[in-house]
Amino acid sequence: MKRLSLLLLPAALLAAGCMGDDDGPPPIVTSCEVEIQDPTNPPSVQPLRRGQNYRITFETTHGSFTVELDPARAPCNGDSMADLARRGFFDNTRFHRIVPGFIIQGGDPTATGNGGSGYTTIDAPPPNTEYTKGVVAMAKSQFEPPGTGGSQFFIVTAQNAQLPPDYAVVGKIVEGMDVIEKIGRLGNRQTEAPTERIVIRSTTVSE
């Protein structure tokens, strides 16, 4: 696998070019380390403007919910998730893992638990990170470094999932928690498989 650092510049800077001293404080530059699994299809993540509140609305077969991104906690994974949503990556994907009273998981185009975006990036979470109800975080394997994320994400339905601080927190649910709870009941606790087909129809990114 090829690993490289991508320098993500705020969109305002990309559009305006270099700024003078009279244009306010310099923009924040985020350097994200990206590991590419498919070198024939490298990522072209478009960065979010710092200081803005970004939301992603997911329209599903069982209702809609909205995630508010938290770029302070996971700038690289947040940029990536928003970019994937803009490009329609999540459209027609399924929630492939549902553990009642714990989490729901989606973002895998293969619906097998093994698929992804073709690249990963890392936002190592602080030691005091908690995964409480409504938290949205990136899923990863036990062999990957803390904070690794691709396209698979999970949403916590437990009051506190009691997970170790290994998963990058990209945001929280701000609308449609009732939909999340409804989906969260549609799983087999033993197999973690959905009992119904739950499909993400579309995603919309807004400020």
Side-chain angles (χ1 to χ4, degrees):
M1 298 178 193
K2 185 177 181 182
R3 187 182 291 273
L4 62 120
S5 290
L6 294 183
L7 202 61
L8 301 183
L9 299 177
L13 177 60
L14 293 175
C18 296
M19 294 193 217
D21 294 337
D22 297 331
D23 293 318
I28 296 172
V29 177
T30 301
S31 180
C32 295
E33 189 175 77
V34 177
E35 184 169 315
I36 302 173
Q37 284 84 34
D38 181 6
T40 65
N41 185 32
S44 58
V45 178
Q46 296 299 309
L48 304 177
R49 290 193 299 276
R50 302 301 173 227
Q52 297 289 330
N53 292 324
Y54 284 87
R55 295 184 173 192
I56 305 175
T57 298
F58 291 76
E59 297 287 345
T60 83
T61 50
H62 288 60
S64 66
F65 61 87
T66 299
V67 178
E68 184 171 275
L69 298 179
D70 187 346
R73 299 181 74 176
C76 300
N77 276 292
D79 288 351
S80 176
M81 188 178 202
D83 191 66
L84 290 171
R86 285 193 188 105
R87 294 193 281 117
F89 181 90
F90 300 113
D91 295 3
N92 301 312
T93 61
R94 289 184 276 161
F95 281 97
H96 62 276
R97 181 183 179 216
I98 299 176
V99 187
F102 185 51
I103 60 104
I104 66 174
Q105 186 169 326
D108 178 359
T110 69
T112 64
N114 298 315
S117 57
Y119 67 91
T120 58
T121 190
I122 297 176
D123 290 301
N128 63 347
T129 299
E130 293 186 338
Y131 302 90
T132 52
K133 192 171 187 177
V135 161
V136 183
M138 303 308 295
K140 73 175 192 67
S141 76
Q142 60 180 319
F143 307 107
E144 293 175 308
T148 298
S151 63
Q152 291 195 45
F153 63 91
F154 65 88
I155 303 171
V156 179
T157 57
Q159 290 300 321
N160 190 325
Q162 301 292 330
L163 290 168
D166 285 347
Y167 308 94
V169 174
V170 292
K172 62 182 180 181
I173 299 297
V174 292
E175 293 179 13
M177 192 63 208
D178 58 327
V179 173
I180 299 299
E181 291 175 333
K182 179 171 66 175
I183 294 173
R185 292 190 288 269
L186 302 176
N188 184 304
R189 187 177 295 276
Q190 282 68 46
T191 65
E192 302 184 353
T195 55
E196 292 184 20
R197 185 183 176 94
I198 301 115
V199 179
I200 297 171
R201 288 174 168 159
S202 65
T203 54
T204 304
V205 180
S206 59
E207 296 183 32

